[in-house]
Amino acid sequence: MDLNSASSVVLQVLTQASSQDSTVLKPAEEQLRQWETQPGFYTVLLNIFTNHSLDVNVRWLAVLYFKNGIDRYWRRVAPHAISEEEKSTLRAGLITNFNEPVNQIATQIAVLIAKAARLDCPKQWPELIPTLIESVKIQDDLRQHRALLTFYHVTKTLSSKRLAADRKLFQNLASEIYSFACSLWNHHTDTFLQQVCAGVESAAIISLERTLLSLKVLRKLTVHGFLEPLQNAEVMGFLHAVFDRLRQFLECSRSIGAENVCRERLEKIIILFTKVLLDFLDQHPFSFIPLIQRSLEFAVSYVFTEAGGGVVFERFTVQCMGLIKMIVKNDSYKPSKNIEDSKPETIKAHQIKMSLFTYPTLTEICRRLVTHYFLLSEEELMMWEEDPEGFAVEESGGDSWKYSLRPCSEVLFIDIFHEYNQALTPVLLDMVHSLQGPTNVEDTSALLIKDTVYNAVGLAAYELFDSVDFDEWFKSQLLGELQVNHDRYKPLRRRVIWLIGQWVSVKFKSDLRPLLYEAILTLLQDQDLVVRIETATTLKLTVDDFEFRTEQFLPYLESIFSLIFQLLQQVTECDTKMHILHVLSCVIERVNVQIRPYVGCLVQYLPLLWKQSEEHNMLRCAILTTLVHLVKGLGEDGKNLYHFLLPVIQLSTDVSQPPHIYLLEDGLELWLVTLENCPSITPELLHIFQNMAALLELSSENLLICFKIINAYIFSASSEFLQMYAANLCQSFLEILKDITTDGQVQVLKVVENVLQVNPAVGPQMFHALLPPVFRGIIDGERYPVVMATYLGILGRVLLQNTSCFSSLLYQMSQEYNEEIDQILGNLIEMWVDRMDNITQPERRKLSALALLSLLPSVNSVIQDKFCGIINVCVEGLHDVMTEDPETSSYKDCMLISHFEEPKVTEEEEPPTEQDKRKKMVALKDPVHTVSLQQFVYEKLKAQQELMGEEGFRSLMETVDTEIVTQLQGFLQGF
């Protein structure tokens, strides 16, 4: 690319690419895409984005294309890689002038320099860091800031590399520049504090920005730059200085007021100080030990004493609580039960913690957490009134404790209570006892304090197991509190039903559950929506518990289900509807078929909700989950839902439709349970199977459920299904078997085995392409026992139930191996007999015995030569399946099934699905379950004897071990 002539052309195309007109934009983008791999293109881009006289949008686009080019073409081994000569020119040009006037473009330039540094620094770009350090010292505000911004991004990127060699390089870099980084940070920090005290706001904001960037650099160097930071005096000196600086900045924030222009950045840097400590603790717990005392004293004083008054803000409080939590929970600071087994550092850390967490300190922390931080704030109470759904389902799980005050204070309480429960249990119980009896509805503060204490008792339920008689408390006080209907009492009604939900799986007598169901029934009719939603949550916890008994719940089922359904209709937010649907799903799952009389309303409503939730895929996932449990509960009556159900399955499992990304997993589960419970396969259900080919191509973690779905079709509508899909399915299986784990192979082969079991007449022809690999696997001695067992199961069915197919397969293999048919047959029998121990399932072992016996009677010398092995397999099979009748002292085959019996199902068991019944009907036609092995052995040996005559047969039997013959005669007594 001729740079002089190219610059104007590229500039023109970039200008077109920044257009809002798609007819101009699209061709320009295509042209730039073609230029990406042209030599000199990135040099032109560099010239364009460093030319400050050009349009900002064009320069911005040039920077982005340059940055993308680094990702794609900077590595030496990349296709169309940028030449080393051009990269050398580019590197020099990138760090010539740190004078970009536009902040956004300056940030992008810093990022792309860091991306190049990740690949080239220090070997190909040794001058980068020295140039940055020199530029940071320049007394020019703009250049200094841009150099410092780049310095931060380079440090951040290099610190993220994790290979041992890269970490070593970063550690070398850190040791070289740490002193400079510290002095830089101290300089800018002191400058800012002087300027802010002098009231020079414009200068202070510039210094604060540099302080922030230099601290970001130090954070990366401190956390990732030293293998043993405790041994480095500068590192530990910096970390100790963090506490002093934190106090200075907190006092500064107190003095400047909320409206000051520095306020937002000031809070940002205060949080950054805490992140330094948290990251260092996380990465270097033992090096952090000298900082434990200062950290705890600092955090506790600001969060749990008056020292924090007027200074702390919510995010800072969260960070301090996180610091306390990490120190309390850190396994490196917990000695072993046998103290001698602990490291000296661990014992030291534990002693520091013990000296600081005295009884008075723990008591104060506990009381302040409960009565101050658990207290519902004015904002929360306002949210309760204005956005009850947002209040009721506010996120409090996962990592929310790292960012939000309420979850953070609750998690800290749980951890501290767990660690120091012996000291804190009496404190909490004392708080509970002081609140016995009803509370005056006019005393709002007393109601809210009671709410906080009950919250604490719920959070500490497992720790209080031996200290609280919850059943008695439930009867004597909590039930009464649920019956106070006054509007001002609603925080307590909501808290008490939540509290019961926390305890129900911890300590709650089964015979009290009817009282709880009655309370739930009442509260689901409460005038307050938040109380109703919380009650629904407790219902889910109650029915989802191990102690749940359906018979206790049945008297309340109709009313409760109706009220939960009403609640589902009343709520409007997507998250709330999902939440209530999960409650409904849980109830349906636990009561199973007992739900049938009550689901009409839900069945009518779900199609409407599905339509309304077109833009809310997570809500649709919740609907799919509900449908799964609904179909299970309805059993064969689920067919009445097909007009809605089948289009939902079709959409959810169609990989050409964008929603499948969210809906596929639940959609497959719904597809499977629909098939398992359908009385018969409909044309529409057969049509949906067209989605399967693309699903099998994905070869994802969903393959297992796909195989289950295929099996369901095989057992439901074998002939029709196989005529439509066998050819494509066979081809898909051949592709899958090329690249799949051993377990995956077994799952594919089991599907084939099921085809042969259900349809032995045409199944082998339809899946004939899969049989040679199976035959080969047996002959070649497949080394995985579970795969070999499946191979033998497949071939056993072909041999036993489709002789002509077996003969043609034998001929095909003789051609392939270029050996006589008898030789191939002999090898097969020999391997079969040798690998019988691979087969562990009694059904398959009997199948092998029947299959090998089906070769008799025969005059074939090879079969007669292998007669001993065949008899060995038969006797093994007889041992597996024959049981002795003690009354008659005769043997009978325990695998024989003469008729289909509906099993008796206890209330705790799920009733059999239609699929279970179909499998039983298939078993009634399966030789494994219809042919007596004992009878079959007798008939085959009798036929062989008749074929060979007495003398010949006796000679044949003499090839069998005498002990085996004795055992065989024992089984055949009476014939």
Side-chain angles (χ1 to χ4, degrees):
M1 184 176 273
D2 180 352
L3 298 188
N4 291 325
S5 60
S7 289
S8 58
V9 177
V10 174
L11 180 60
Q12 183 183 357
V13 175
L14 281 169
T15 305
Q16 292 167 349
S18 61
S19 167
Q20 299 298 312
D21 184 350
S22 62
T23 58
V24 177
L25 170 71
K26 294 293 181 187
E29 286 182 336
E30 182 55 39
Q31 180 61 71
L32 288 167
R33 196 174 293 113
Q34 291 174 16
W35 282 340
E36 279 180 2
T37 55
Q38 292 296 309
F41 177 60
Y42 295 97
T43 306
V44 173
L45 290 178
L46 176 65
N47 293 337
I48 289 171
F49 71 70
T50 53
N51 185 344
H52 303 159
S53 65
L54 296 175
D55 180 71
V56 169
N57 292 324
V58 172
R59 293 173 57 228
W60 168 260
L61 209 53
V63 168
L64 292 184
Y65 269 93
F66 194 107
K67 189 174 76 171
N68 292 337
I70 292 176
D71 288 335
R72 294 173 188 163
Y73 310 115
W74 200 268
R75 290 179 188 275
R76 279 178 293 175
V77 294
H80 310 295
I82 301 169
S83 70
E84 290 303 311
E85 293 76 18
E86 186 175 2
K87 282 199 291 186
S88 180
T89 306
L90 293 172
R91 284 192 292 259
L94 284 169
I95 57 174
T96 303
N97 293 305
F98 293 103
N99 60 349
E100 172 55 54
V102 181
N103 273 329
Q104 291 91 332
I105 294 178
T107 302
Q108 291 301 321
I109 293 173
V111 169
L112 68 85
I113 289 173
K115 282 178 176 286
R118 183 180 181 88
L119 300 170
D120 291 355
C121 190
K123 291 180 182 175
Q124 283 82 36
W125 206 356
E127 67 274 16
L128 173 62
I129 301 296
T131 303
L132 287 173
I133 290 173
E134 287 307 311
S135 302
V136 164
K137 295 175 183 176
I138 294 171
Q139 294 304 306
D140 176 304
D141 281 347
L142 180 64
R143 291 173 190 271
Q144 189 184 64
H145 177 270
R146 298 321 190 211
L148 190 52
L149 179 68
T150 308
F151 191 28
Y152 160 60
H153 280 286
V154 168
T155 310
K156 178 184 177 184
T157 302
L158 294 179
S159 71
S160 67
K161 298 178 79 173
R162 289 290 170 261
L163 292 176
D166 293 325
R167 293 176 78 167
K168 181 68 177 169
L169 283 171
F170 186 71
Q171 286 160 11
N172 291 340
L173 171 66
S175 62
E176 289 171 15
I177 67 173
Y178 199 80
S179 294
F180 169 73
C182 281
S183 62
L184 189 69
W185 168 65
N186 276 314
H187 166 71
H188 288 306
T189 304
D190 289 335
T191 305
F192 163 71
L193 290 170
Q194 289 162 13
Q195 290 166 339
V196 81
C197 288
V200 189
E201 287 188 1
S202 56
I205 197 84
I206 293 170
S207 294
L208 185 57
E209 178 66 22
R210 283 152 182 67
T211 304
L212 187 66
L213 285 171
S214 53
L215 182 57
K216 283 182 173 182
V217 171
L218 268 177
R219 176 189 176 195
K220 296 300 177 185
L221 294 176
T222 303
V223 175
H224 301 290
F226 300 90
L227 200 59
E228 295 288 344
L230 187 58
Q231 310 304 320
N232 189 300
E234 277 190 305
V235 172
M236 299 311 292
F238 162 68
L239 288 165
H240 279 288
V242 163
F243 295 100
D244 301 322
R245 291 301 196 185
L246 251 174
R247 284 196 165 85
Q248 288 177 314
F249 275 79
L250 285 164
E251 287 307 313
C252 181
S253 72
R254 188 202 299 271
S255 63
I256 67 170
E259 69 289 340
N260 192 291
V261 291
C262 295
R263 182 74 194 195
E264 187 181 338
R265 274 197 175 84
L266 197 58
E267 291 191 356
K268 199 180 246 185
I269 204 165
I270 288 169
I271 294 304
L272 188 57
F273 279 124
T274 62
K275 283 181 178 177
V276 170
L277 296 173
L278 285 164
D279 288 356
F280 191 76
L281 169 57
D282 181 56
Q283 294 294 316
H284 305 283
F286 288 127
S287 291
F288 192 86
I289 290 172
L291 304 167
I292 290 176
Q293 182 162 347
R294 288 195 75 174
S295 298
L296 289 176
E297 287 174 348
F298 176 86
V300 169
S301 69
Y302 275 101
V303 177
F304 296 110
T305 74
E306 299 309 315
V311 180
V312 298
F313 50 96
E314 183 171 316
R315 189 71 209 280
F316 175 68
T317 304
V318 169
Q319 294 291 99
C320 286
M321 285 186 177
L323 191 57
I324 298 169
K325 170 189 160 58
M326 280 185 70
I327 292 171
V328 168
K329 278 204 78 175
N330 203 302
D331 289 335
S332 299
Y333 305 156
K334 293 180 181 178
S336 307
K337 287 184 179 178
N338 186 0
I339 205 85
E340 289 81 16
D341 296 337
S342 303
K343 292 181 178 179
E345 300 95 326
T346 300
I347 295 169
K348 183 180 178 183
H350 180 66
Q351 288 169 344
I352 296 169
K353 281 168 58 180
M354 293 298 288
S355 69
L356 287 165
F357 285 123
T358 60
Y359 179 74
T361 302
L362 287 170
T363 302
E364 182 60 23
I365 290 174
C366 179
R367 287 188 179 276
R368 274 187 82 87
L369 277 171
V370 174
T371 60
H372 179 70
Y373 289 106
F374 286 8
L375 204 60
L376 286 169
S377 65
E378 287 294 329
E379 291 80 7
E380 287 173 314
L381 290 170
M382 194 178 297
M383 186 182 183
W384 184 321
E385 297 301 328
E386 295 174 359
D387 180 18
E389 291 184 45
F391 177 87
V393 295
E394 194 173 11
E395 179 59 48
S396 60
D399 282 347
S400 62
W401 66 270
K402 293 180 180 177
Y403 314 104
S404 304
L405 184 55
R406 176 167 295 283
C408 181
S409 58
E410 290 179 349
V411 166
L412 178 60
F413 173 81
I414 291 168
D415 289 338
I416 286 187
F417 204 93
H418 174 74
E419 194 72 15
Y420 303 103
N421 62 76
Q422 286 186 325
L424 292 177
T425 295
V427 177
L428 186 53
L429 292 181
D430 182 55
M431 295 169 79
V432 172
H433 291 145
S434 68
L435 297 170
Q436 290 290 56
T439 305
N440 187 345
V441 294
E442 303 298 328
D443 191 346
T444 304
S445 61
L447 289 170
L448 292 178
I449 287 293
K450 199 171 201 178
D451 172 81
T452 67
V453 175
Y454 283 6
N455 187 9
V457 175
L459 294 173
Y462 285 97
E463 307 299 335
L464 295 171
F465 181 89
D466 293 321
S467 307
V468 172
D469 184 348
F470 191 80
D471 298 329
E472 181 55 38
W473 194 31
F474 170 75
K475 289 183 291 184
S476 63
Q477 171 138 348
L478 299 180
L479 267 179
E481 303 215 69
L482 290 177
Q483 291 159 10
V484 181
N485 290 322
H486 198 284
D487 184 58
R488 287 186 184 172
Y489 217 79
K490 66 187 180 187
L492 270 184
R493 290 199 300 276
R494 173 237 181 193
R495 180 59 67 194
V496 170
I497 198 65
W498 171 87
L499 171 63
I500 295 166
Q502 302 308 299
W503 274 85
V504 79
S505 62
V506 177
K507 191 178 186 180
F508 195 78
K509 275 185 184 172
S510 183
D511 57 10
L512 291 177
R513 284 178 181 255
L515 281 174
L516 175 55
Y517 297 140
E518 286 175 18
I520 287 171
L521 193 55
T522 303
L523 287 179
L524 284 173
Q525 301 168 73
D526 196 276
Q527 69 267 32
D528 186 80
L529 181 58
V530 173
V531 174
R532 296 201 297 277
I533 293 170
E534 196 64 71
T535 304
T537 306
T538 293
L539 171 66
K540 181 181 183 298
L541 293 168
T542 306
V543 300
D544 204 22
D545 181 55
F546 180 75
E547 295 289 329
F548 175 77
R549 297 288 176 267
T550 309
E551 70 275 7
Q552 286 182 315
F553 186 62
L554 284 179
Y556 309 95
L557 174 59
E558 182 176 5
S559 302
I560 286 179
F561 190 85
S562 173
L563 289 166
I564 292 287
F565 174 66
Q566 286 176 32
L567 181 58
L568 176 64
Q569 291 175 296
Q570 288 161 3
V571 297
T572 57
E573 296 296 322
C574 181
D575 285 350
T576 326
K577 283 191 178 290
M578 283 171 56
H579 183 67
I580 305 304
L581 272 173
H582 285 312
V583 177
L584 276 170
S585 294
C586 193
V587 171
I588 295 169
E589 182 183 17
R590 292 314 301 266
V591 302
N592 207 290
V593 295
Q594 308 278 4
I595 201 66
R596 290 181 185 180
Y598 316 118
V599 293
C601 55
L602 182 62
V603 166
Q604 289 176 346
Y605 176 67
L606 284 178
L608 175 64
L609 185 59
W610 181 265
K611 191 174 180 182
Q612 291 172 344
S613 62
E614 195 169 349
E615 303 300 317
H616 303 285
N617 287 308
M618 298 315 292
L619 177 54
R620 285 195 157 186
C621 288
I623 296 171
L624 287 169
T625 304
T626 305
L627 285 169
V628 167
H629 296 304
L630 195 54
V631 170
K632 285 181 179 177
L634 289 172
E636 63 176 301
D637 291 345
K639 63 181 183 292
N640 300 326
L641 279 176
Y642 283 4
H643 64 285
F644 166 53
L645 208 57
L646 302 191
V648 166
I649 296 170
Q650 170 77 42
L651 173 71
S652 305
T653 60
D654 183 352
V655 297
S656 69
Q657 298 289 335
H660 90 272
I661 297 167
Y662 304 94
L663 307 179
L664 181 58
E665 194 171 330
D666 295 309
L668 288 170
E669 183 71 22
L670 180 59
W671 191 359
L672 178 60
V673 299
T674 300
L675 289 168
E676 287 177 339
N677 289 280
C678 70
S680 59
I681 294 288
T682 65
E684 293 80 11
L685 267 171
L686 274 173
H687 176 75
I688 293 174
F689 195 80
Q690 291 179 356
N691 287 356
M692 184 56 72
L695 290 168
L696 293 176
E697 277 181 33
L698 288 178
S699 296
S700 65
E701 65 276 6
N702 292 314
L703 267 182
L704 189 58
I705 195 167
C706 287
F707 294 145
K708 289 180 179 178
I709 289 167
I710 297 166
N711 282 328
Y713 276 103
I714 289 165
F715 282 104
S716 302
S718 176
S719 300
E720 197 175 355
F721 169 70
L722 290 175
Q723 283 169 11
M724 291 177 70
Y725 296 111
N728 289 338
L729 206 52
C730 185
Q731 191 56 44
S732 293
F733 284 175
L734 286 168
E735 290 299 317
I736 291 170
L737 286 169
K738 288 177 186 174
D739 182 28
I740 199 170
T741 63
T742 304
D743 288 342
Q745 287 180 48
V746 170
Q747 294 305 324
V748 173
L749 295 168
K750 278 184 177 177
V751 177
V752 178
E753 199 175 1
N754 287 334
V755 170
L756 303 182
Q757 181 188 5
V758 175
N759 214 323
V762 297
Q765 278 80 19
M766 289 178 163
F767 284 83
H768 190 272
L770 283 161
L771 297 180
V774 168
F775 204 118
R776 259 180 248 121
I778 298 171
I779 294 288
D780 298 343
E782 165 62 47
R783 62 195 179 97
Y784 291 107
V786 67
V787 178
M788 178 60 107
T790 317
Y791 281 166
L792 294 173
I794 289 172
L795 209 59
R797 291 208 171 273
V798 176
L799 173 56
L800 180 62
Q801 295 181 268
N802 199 317
T803 312
S804 61
C805 179
F806 180 77
S807 299
S808 67
L809 183 61
L810 206 55
Y811 175 76
Q812 182 181 340
M813 299 315 294
S814 74
Q815 298 293 306
E816 184 178 312
Y817 280 89
N818 197 24
E819 291 182 2
E820 292 292 326
I821 288 178
D822 282 353
Q823 179 66 42
I824 292 288
L825 179 60
N827 293 344
L828 173 69
I829 298 170
E830 191 171 316
M831 186 59 72
W832 203 324
V833 172
D834 183 57
R835 299 297 288 273
M836 267 299 287
D837 285 346
N838 288 171
I839 307 175
T840 55
Q841 292 172 294
E843 291 86 355
R844 276 211 189 123
R845 289 174 69 79
K846 179 177 176 180
L847 177 66
S848 282
L850 292 172
L852 289 172
L853 273 170
S854 71
L855 293 168
L856 303 178
S858 176
V859 293
N860 186 305
S861 59
V862 170
I863 293 175
Q864 290 186 8
D865 186 46
K866 306 299 179 186
F867 181 78
C868 169
I870 293 172
I871 297 302
N872 283 350
V873 169
C874 292
V875 172
E876 281 187 39
L878 287 165
H879 277 294
D880 292 328
V881 304
M882 302 303 286
T883 55
E884 189 174 5
D885 187 339
E887 292 182 10
T888 60
S889 294
S890 61
Y891 288 96
K892 64 176 182 178
D893 190 329
C894 66
M895 284 192 186
L896 294 179
I897 304 173
S898 56
H899 61 286
F900 178 66
E901 282 185 12
E902 281 279 359
K904 292 179 181 177
V905 182
T906 66
E907 196 171 291
E908 299 304 312
E909 294 176 321
E910 289 190 9
T913 63
E914 296 299 305
Q915 177 84 339
D916 295 329
K917 295 173 187 175
R918 284 190 282 269
K919 285 182 178 179
K920 285 280 174 65
M921 297 308 292
V922 168
L924 285 176
K925 300 175 184 175
D926 187 349
V928 173
H929 298 294
T930 56
V931 175
S932 163
L933 180 58
Q934 183 187 32
Q935 179 86 29
F936 199 63
V937 171
Y938 173 75
E939 288 173 359
K940 289 294 182 180
L941 291 181
K942 185 75 174 169
Q944 187 71 29
Q945 185 181 27
E946 289 171 359
L947 183 66
M948 297 182 69
E950 284 287 342
E951 192 63 36
F953 184 68
R954 186 181 300 110
S955 299
L956 195 60
M957 288 299 292
E958 284 173 357
T959 64
V960 183
D961 183 84
T962 53
E963 178 57 32
I964 298 295
V965 173
T966 305
Q967 292 174 25
L968 179 63
Q969 289 169 341
F971 284 119
L972 297 182
Q973 277 180 357
F975 281 92

